[in-house]
Amino acid sequence: MEIIHISAECYPVAKAGGLADVVGALPKYQCKTGHHAKVIMPMYETKFLLQHEFDVHAKGSIYLGPTHLDYTIIKEKNNTLGFDLFLVDIKGLLDRTMIYSHADDIERFVAFQIAVLDWINSWEHVPDIIHCHDHHSALIPFMMQHCYGFKNKLAKIPSVLTIHNAQYQGWIGLDKSFYIPTYDNWKTGLLEWEGNINSLASGIKCAWKVTTVSESYMNELKWNSNGLEKLFEYEKGKCIGILNGIDNEVWNPQTDSFLKHHFSSRTVTNGKKKNKQVLCNQFGLDPSKPLIVFIGRLVGEKAADVLPDSIMSCLYTMKDACSFLILGSGESQIEWQLQQMNHQFGNNYHAVIGYNEALSHNMYAGADFLLMPSRVEPCGLNQLYALRYGTIPIVRSTGGLQDTVKDMGENEGFGIRFNNATVRDIYYSVERAIEMYQNPKQISWMRKYMMAIDHSWESVINNYANVYQQII
Ligand code: ADP
Ligand code: GLC
């Protein structure tokens, strides 16, 4: 089957979060099972671009409203990612170092989508599946079916939209509807939601199948999806939750190139101890205490705003009972608060503000516990990486966290779960973690148990194949 993934992110080409991890791995494992999966994404100015060789594959031009834009499709020469990688270069629009947060993101991602379809429309054949990811490519199903320039050839190609996060929807004011290539006007309703063009809503209406990244999140979307609740209720017949996998070749404590000390489940106690020592030395923390880490975007969705008060409350009340290490970037107020605390808690706390892939791997390996108080967590990959590295997850019961972490109070439980993203619940969970830490036998059993859980892509890949089969 020829499967075309269209995405704004793909690890290691360009990553802001878990979307990149999924798009960097799912196609690779699809190729391993005999499919021909490809990824098309924007060409940003990233390190990957400079470190790899590319061939010019195609050239074309499009209109974004009245603006004429030339595009070039380049292909990575050596197939280093295990699948064909195509980048869309639109000079002056996509070739920036940062993926998102530009004033003209609407123009950038609409132009990207038009260029992708313009190119696919020029092929001699049609692919079997178009698989879009999140709102940056969610206008594609509409455009394939209703834009005059594309529909003759592309309308019959089955399309899938995977929603990694429904909080962000790609809203476009109706005054910019002329960006979309000419379409049947009476189809406008398929683009709109509550008075705007809403890219994600359009994708949900027009894609042949809609998936999201865990079953619990699929259910939650019907009552909590940033305004799209009714739409998810109407369209539930074509929606399905498929839990993400992880790339065991990248996330493997036995081979991880970012780690100084490798370990397996057999050597986990010693291995984690050594990695913890490295981390603690680096940040002036005391390795004898349980180390609790947070890694992620510092935004409300991740409940990062409750971190400062929660950590302060733990460190003031429990004194020297544990240490915290934070890695993240996001809202400036939260960044500032977390950074200020670096001066207050001596060897019990450190926050690193920024994005640091190497450090994140070392934190999964060296930490005792990973805290994820997320208000919304469609799947969450951090807790899956933590499991693989023998780090006990402390999570709020929501979305994918709920589907992948079982509280230690349950039979064969291996983590800590709580209900509310509040200082009180986090405090109470940290207390439970510290108590558990006093019991090395329990910790050792848990680490081994967690590391043996199979969240590989191999174990879930068939779920996608089944979705494709249903619509082909
Ligand atoms: P989301 O995609 O919502 O941010 P996920 O849990 O699915 O959440 O994935 C987050 C991914 O981004 C993980 O690979 C995590 O290790 C990584 N990550 C998040 N923040 C940082 C950071 N500041 N530095 C390094 N890696 C990070
Ligand atoms: C999103 C979600 C996260 C999920 C990731 C990959 O960014 O916030 O929960 O794991 O996508 O699907």
Side-chain angles (χ1 to χ4, degrees):
M1 215 184 281
E2 186 182 20
I3 306 151
I4 309 296
H5 291 275
I6 304 167
S7 170
E9 296 178 39
C10 172
Y11 179 82
V13 190
K15 169 169 168 176
L19 167 64
D21 291 3
V22 171
V23 177
L26 172 61
K28 177 166 105 181
Y29 288 93
Q30 288 177 325
C31 286
K32 285 187 183 194
T33 55
H35 296 298
H36 201 175
K38 303 172 179 183
V39 170
I40 309 178
M41 65 181 293
M43 192 204 85
Y44 311 106
E45 292 282 339
T46 64
K47 257 196 205 155
F48 186 92
L49 190 68
L50 304 174
Q51 292 166 345
H52 292 77
E53 290 184 69
F54 291 85
D55 280 328
V56 171
H57 195 77
K59 279 177 182 281
S61 60
I62 55 165
Y63 279 95
L64 180 70
T67 313
H68 181 265
L69 295 168
D70 290 323
Y71 70 84
T72 305
I73 308 285
I74 58 172
K75 178 174 183 290
E76 202 261 328
K77 239 177 169 176
N78 302 313
N79 209 292
T80 42
L81 303 184
F83 51 81
D84 291 342
L85 170 73
F86 297 94
L87 306 182
V88 180
D89 180 16
I90 303 181
K91 289 274 175 277
L93 207 56
L94 298 176
D95 52 348
R96 317 240 173 106
T97 48
M98 261 167 50
I99 304 177
Y100 309 117
S101 306
H102 302 281
D104 56 354
D105 275 354
I106 292 181
E107 286 74 12
R108 296 172 74 231
F109 288 109
V110 175
F112 163 65
Q113 295 176 78
I114 298 171
V116 169
L117 288 185
D118 187 74
W119 176 47
I120 296 177
N121 205 28
S122 72
W123 297 1
E124 277 169 12
H125 70 290
V126 290
D128 296 301
I129 292 282
I130 296 280
H131 192 149
C132 306
H133 296 265
D134 274 353
H135 73 82
H136 321 96
S137 55
L139 289 172
I140 284 193
F142 174 88
M143 292 202 273
M144 284 163 64
Q145 289 160 43
H146 303 295
C147 291
Y148 293 123
F150 302 134
K151 67 180 195 176
N152 286 347
K153 183 157 177 189
L154 307 184
K156 286 191 216 88
I157 308 174
S159 54
V160 176
L161 170 67
T162 293
I163 299 171
H164 298 262
N165 197 329
Q167 294 299 108
Y168 309 97
Q169 299 172 1
W171 301 275
I172 303 175
L174 285 177
D175 56 325
K176 293 189 173 172
S177 56
F178 65 100
Y179 285 166
I180 317 272
T182 327
Y183 53 92
D184 302 342
N185 264 340
W186 60 281
K187 300 285 185 194
T188 303
L190 292 171
L191 286 171
E192 287 182 24
W193 192 254
E194 291 178 349
N196 276 315
I197 294 181
N198 181 316
S199 308
L200 196 72
S202 171
I204 297 164
K205 294 178 200 182
C206 299
W208 293 27
K209 277 275 181 193
V210 175
T211 75
T212 185
V213 290
S214 72
E215 276 182 34
S216 286
Y217 187 58
M218 187 81 260
N219 292 330
E220 274 174 32
L221 287 171
K222 285 178 229 140
W223 52 268
N224 180 18
S225 49
N226 206 5
L228 298 184
E229 295 77 9
K230 276 197 191 124
L231 182 58
F232 280 107
E233 185 57 42
Y234 297 145
E235 298 286 7
K236 64 183 174 199
K238 66 175 177 191
C239 294
I240 173 172
I242 301 177
L243 192 70
N244 284 332
I246 62 171
D247 189 341
N248 278 347
E249 288 173 3
V250 175
W251 297 95
N252 182 351
Q254 287 181 269
T255 54
D256 189 329
S257 57
F258 290 117
L259 303 188
K260 270 211 180 101
H261 304 286
H262 292 133
F263 60 93
S264 63
S265 68
R266 205 174 43 79
T267 57
V268 58
T269 307
N270 219 2
K272 284 190 75 71
K273 196 171 167 188
K274 286 188 190 158
N275 284 293
K276 183 176 178 183
Q277 186 72 55
V278 172
L279 264 187
C280 289
N281 286 348
Q282 193 177 352
F283 298 109
L285 300 170
D286 177 354
S288 67
K289 293 172 200 158
L291 176 62
I292 303 171
V293 301
F294 172 95
I295 301 166
R297 295 181 288 119
L298 301 176
V299 295
E301 221 180 283
K302 303 281 178 194
D305 50 308
V306 293
L307 283 179
D309 283 350
S310 307
I311 294 171
M312 279 198 274
S313 137
C314 293
L315 292 179
Y316 278 130
T317 325
M318 302 176 197
K319 297 286 180 238
D320 286 335
C322 63
S323 312
F324 288 91
L325 179 60
I326 311 292
L327 169 63
S329 59
E331 287 168 21
S332 49
Q333 171 69 15
I334 308 176
E335 289 187 352
W336 183 83
Q337 275 181 295
L338 290 168
Q339 211 156 21
Q340 285 304 305
M341 289 164 56
N342 276 345
H343 312 294
Q344 282 176 44
F345 295 105
N347 62 1
N348 287 334
Y349 172 87
H350 194 86
V352 179
I353 302 303
Y355 188 92
N356 187 331
E357 191 73 26
L359 177 57
S360 75
H361 285 243
N362 279 283
M363 287 170 71
Y364 293 117
D368 298 299
F369 300 94
L370 174 92
L371 176 62
M372 289 183 81
S374 312
R375 294 195 175 88
V376 181
E377 197 60 83
C379 174
L381 296 172
N382 295 19
Q383 83 282 12
L384 303 183
Y385 300 145
L387 296 176
R388 183 118 167 96
Y389 284 63
T391 299
I392 297 165
I394 307 175
V395 305
R396 189 174 97 77
S397 294
T398 185
L401 298 176
Q402 180 170 315
D403 293 356
T404 54
V405 177
K406 199 168 174 190
D407 188 84
M408 62 178 183
E410 293 174 49
N411 187 27
E412 306 212 315
F414 50 84
I416 295 176
R417 270 172 49 172
F418 56 95
N419 289 328
N420 305 297
T422 57
V423 172
R424 195 191 158 117
D425 275 25
I426 294 174
Y427 181 93
Y428 174 62
S429 305
V430 168
E431 259 188 344
R432 291 181 73 201
I434 293 170
E435 199 184 319
M436 184 203 299
Y437 192 74
Q438 312 309 323
N439 185 344
K441 259 196 180 163
Q442 189 186 9
I443 295 264
S444 166
W445 171 87
M446 226 175 250
R447 283 176 175 164
K448 290 188 163 63
Y449 186 90
M450 294 185 313
M451 289 178 79
I453 300 173
D454 184 6
H455 279 296
S456 63
W457 273 112
E458 283 97 335
S459 69
V460 289
I461 204 102
N462 270 343
N463 298 334
Y464 280 102
N466 291 341
V467 167
Y468 300 154
Q469 284 303 345
Q470 285 170 28
I471 51 178
I472 275 184

